[in-house]
């Protein structure tokens, strides 16, 4: 394990799992109605080590009224119904399972909120100690759930990058396992199941455009990894979706990087109600940029007011309560349609990544 960690840090780039790919669609566990139906594409060797709370296999809504209004087919994958109320459950389920398999007894995570709750729950189930480091400004619900799951909770002034600094220090001191976004390779594998699920649920026809609320980038990179694996396996053919990164005007390092080729040295982030997107220094920024370039994608921001407005609109028209991050994808969609970046005959897919209820 230490070798793995050392490798990841020495290169200052994320470590990625590769497989000898040979599975066919019959290898999907069709009677398992959670993301472990794709266990054949996941890194846990002994099924006894799987720590699952039935994450994944989430619904895709067809947004009829939005569609009528904008004249484009619009789908929404609702990740808010995952255990612990966000799609962080997917990555953490695989990462904790693999940690258990490797004999880890203590995990540390810096988090904007949802990853901490997920780690706390899965570690509780696995019998592994969890330490969660979170910005002090995080909504109380997100703090309280960690305590309920029995985790040690540490509150820090600043955003997730400040939490990350303390986490690295504690990892050094305690020898605990670092569960930071993309500092270990298995959360990415869990997030990648979104890509497999999208393909299977849409009869192996991916949408033209995927709009993703981006923080650390695990979901974006994970989906793209899944698409490439499925291409290699021959499960999908044709053009891959154009991937869109949505961030908030308060914290948009990826938009800077995409538009200007670099993140300005004095880059400052302001807190946003979309806590999951408040990642000022994403470790995997180069990998995200690659996905944007390879997919002919786009990157854009939305404001706090737009996010608020989007939540209201989607709730009142489609009956769906979105997290601020989810609302950001809807607001992004409107801008892309306005610019005609999404054409009349194209299908766009939005993500609701978390549960509105957690942000009160
Ligand atoms: C973490 C999080 C995000 C950002 O996800 P990444 O894959 O890390 O970019 C978006 N929305 C919510 C609700 C989150 O918790």
């Amino acid at each position: 394990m230490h070798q793995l960690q050392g490798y990841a840090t020495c290169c200052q780039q994320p470590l990625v799992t590769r497989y000898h790919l040979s599975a066919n669609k019959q290898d999907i566990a069709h009677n398992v109605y959670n993301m472990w139906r794709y266990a054949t594409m996941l890194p846990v060797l002994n099924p006894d080590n799987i720590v699952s709370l039935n994450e994944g296999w989430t619904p895709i809504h067809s947004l009829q009224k939005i569609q009528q209004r904008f004249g484009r087919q619009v789908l929404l994958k609702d990740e808010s119904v995952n255990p612990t109320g966000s799609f962080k459950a997917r990555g953490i389920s695989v990462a904790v399972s693999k940690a258990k398999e490797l004999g880890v007894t203590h995990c540390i995570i810096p988090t904007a909120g949802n990853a901490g709750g997920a780690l706390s729950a899965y570690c509780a189930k696995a019998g592994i100690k969890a330490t969660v480091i979170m910005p002090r400004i995080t909504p109380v619900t997100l703090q309280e759930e960690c305590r309920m799951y029995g985790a040690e909770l540490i509150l820090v002034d600043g955003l997730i990058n400040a939490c990350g600094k303390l986490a690295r220090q504690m990892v050094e001191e305690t020898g605990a396992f670092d569960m930071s976004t993309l500092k270990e390779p298995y959360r990415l594998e869990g997030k990648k199941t979104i890509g497999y699920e999208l393909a299977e649920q849409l009869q192996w026809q991916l949408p033209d455009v995927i709009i993703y609320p981006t923080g650390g980038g695990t979901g974006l990179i994970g989906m793209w990894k899944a698409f490439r694996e499925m291409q290699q396996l021959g499960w999908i053919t044709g053009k891959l979706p154009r991937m869109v990164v949505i961030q908030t005007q308060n914290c948009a390092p990826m938009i800077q990087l995409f538009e200007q080729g670099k993140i300005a040295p004095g880059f400052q982030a302001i807190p946003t109600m979309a806590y999951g997107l408040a990642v000022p220094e994403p470790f995997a920024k180069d990998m995200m940029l690659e996905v944007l370039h390879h997919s002919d994608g786009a990157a854009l921001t939305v404001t706090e007011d737009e996010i608020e407005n989007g939540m209201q609109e989607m709730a009142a028209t489609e009956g769906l309560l979105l997290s601020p991050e989810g609302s950001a994808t809807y607001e992004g969609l409107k801008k892309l349609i306005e610019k005609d970046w999404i054409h009349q005959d194209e299908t766009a897919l939005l993500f609701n990544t978390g549960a509105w209820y957690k942000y009160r």
Side-chain angles (χ1 to χ4, degrees):
M1 209 59 243
H2 280 112
Q3 223 173 346
L4 259 182
Q5 279 181 297
Y7 181 66
T9 38
C10 82
C11 310
Q12 287 308 317
Q13 287 294 333
L15 187 63
V16 171
T17 317
R18 296 234 184 276
Y19 302 81
H20 295 287
L21 294 171
S22 66
N24 59 46
K25 286 177 192 167
Q26 278 80 54
D27 294 320
I28 297 171
H30 286 101
N31 57 345
V32 176
Y33 293 100
N34 63 46
M35 67 171 206
W36 290 96
R37 65 199 275 111
Y38 309 108
T40 184
M41 301 309 301
L42 295 172
V44 180
L45 302 178
N46 180 351
D48 292 344
N49 291 320
I50 292 177
V51 184
S52 173
L53 294 166
N54 279 304
E55 50 291 321
W57 204 241
T58 56
I60 297 176
H61 299 284
S62 179
L63 306 182
Q64 301 292 339
K65 288 164 91 181
I66 303 285
Q67 199 163 307
Q68 275 164 18
R69 186 157 142 209
F70 295 108
R72 311 286 193 284
Q73 199 189 351
V74 183
L75 306 172
L76 180 140
K77 188 153 177 67
D78 193 0
E79 290 287 301
S80 70
V81 297
N82 272 303
T84 73
S86 90
F87 72 158
K88 291 291 193 297
R90 292 179 187 263
I92 296 294
S93 174
V94 170
V96 169
S97 300
K98 195 64 194 175
K100 185 176 164 193
E101 186 154 87
L102 295 167
V104 170
T105 57
H106 180 193
C107 295
I108 295 187
I109 197 164
T111 174
N114 283 321
L119 184 75
S120 304
Y122 286 88
C123 278
K125 180 143 187 185
I128 293 174
K129 182 180 172 191
T131 300
V132 175
I133 309 177
M134 201 181 273
R136 203 176 299 284
I137 56 164
T138 312
V140 185
T141 319
L142 290 156
Q143 300 181 21
E144 246 349 275
E145 69 170 337
C146 299
R147 295 202 183 95
M148 287 298 290
Y149 294 127
E152 174 189 28
L153 178 66
I154 300 173
L155 299 174
V156 164
D157 295 317
L159 292 177
I160 195 172
N161 46 335
C163 302
K165 266 187 205 112
L166 179 60
R168 281 193 291 281
Q169 201 180 317
M170 286 185 69
V171 163
E172 291 275 311
E173 284 164 18
T174 62
F177 186 75
D178 188 354
M179 276 289 183
S180 305
T181 303
L182 288 157
K183 294 281 170 81
E184 56 74 56
Y186 304 118
R187 283 176 61 187
L188 183 65
E189 293 303 295
K191 280 281 185 77
K192 136 187 129 173
T193 59
I194 301 172
Y196 280 90
E197 241 174 72
L198 278 180
E200 191 184 354
Q201 290 175 320
L202 299 172
Q203 283 76 50
W204 311 103
Q205 285 287 312
L206 292 169
D208 300 290
V209 173
I210 291 179
I211 307 184
Y212 185 76
T214 308
T218 331
L220 184 83
I221 298 163
M223 261 189 282
W224 195 252
K225 183 173 194 281
F227 298 159
R228 302 302 280 257
E229 286 176 359
M230 285 188 286
Q231 276 185 330
Q232 280 181 40
L233 289 165
W235 293 11
I236 55 170
T237 52
K239 218 175 155 292
L240 294 183
R242 308 203 294 285
M243 305 297 282
V244 179
V245 161
I246 301 288
Q247 299 200 303
T248 74
Q249 226 162 58
N250 289 4
C251 183
M254 285 311 300
I255 282 73
Q256 261 196 25
L257 186 62
F258 186 65
E259 285 177 355
Q260 293 157 30
K262 61 177 191 311
I263 300 170
F267 179 82
Q268 284 289 338
I270 307 169
T272 160
M273 75 175 100
Y275 296 92
L277 311 187
V279 184
E281 301 167 29
F283 182 53
K285 58 183 187 308
D286 297 338
M287 290 172 84
M288 284 194 262
L289 198 57
E290 237 173 83
V291 173
L292 285 173
H293 286 150
H294 285 165
S295 75
D296 272 326
L300 63 159
T301 61
V302 296
T303 66
E304 300 294 295
D305 283 350
E306 286 169 339
I307 289 174
E308 193 74 65
N309 175 59
M311 289 198 283
Q312 191 83 70
E313 231 173 77
M314 188 63 83
T317 50
E318 294 285 354
L320 294 170
L321 279 177
L322 305 186
S323 63
E325 297 85 351
S327 173
T329 68
Y330 172 52
E331 290 298 310
L333 169 84
K334 291 199 266 184
K335 292 184 185 192
L336 291 168
I337 289 175
E338 198 164 303
K339 289 193 225 173
D340 209 31
W341 194 85
I342 300 171
H343 308 295
Q344 295 268 341
D345 57 344
E346 290 188 318
T347 301
L349 182 125
L350 310 178
F351 269 99
N352 184 32
T353 43
W356 178 85
Y357 302 98
K358 290 186 81 179
Y359 295 71
R360 300 299 109 188

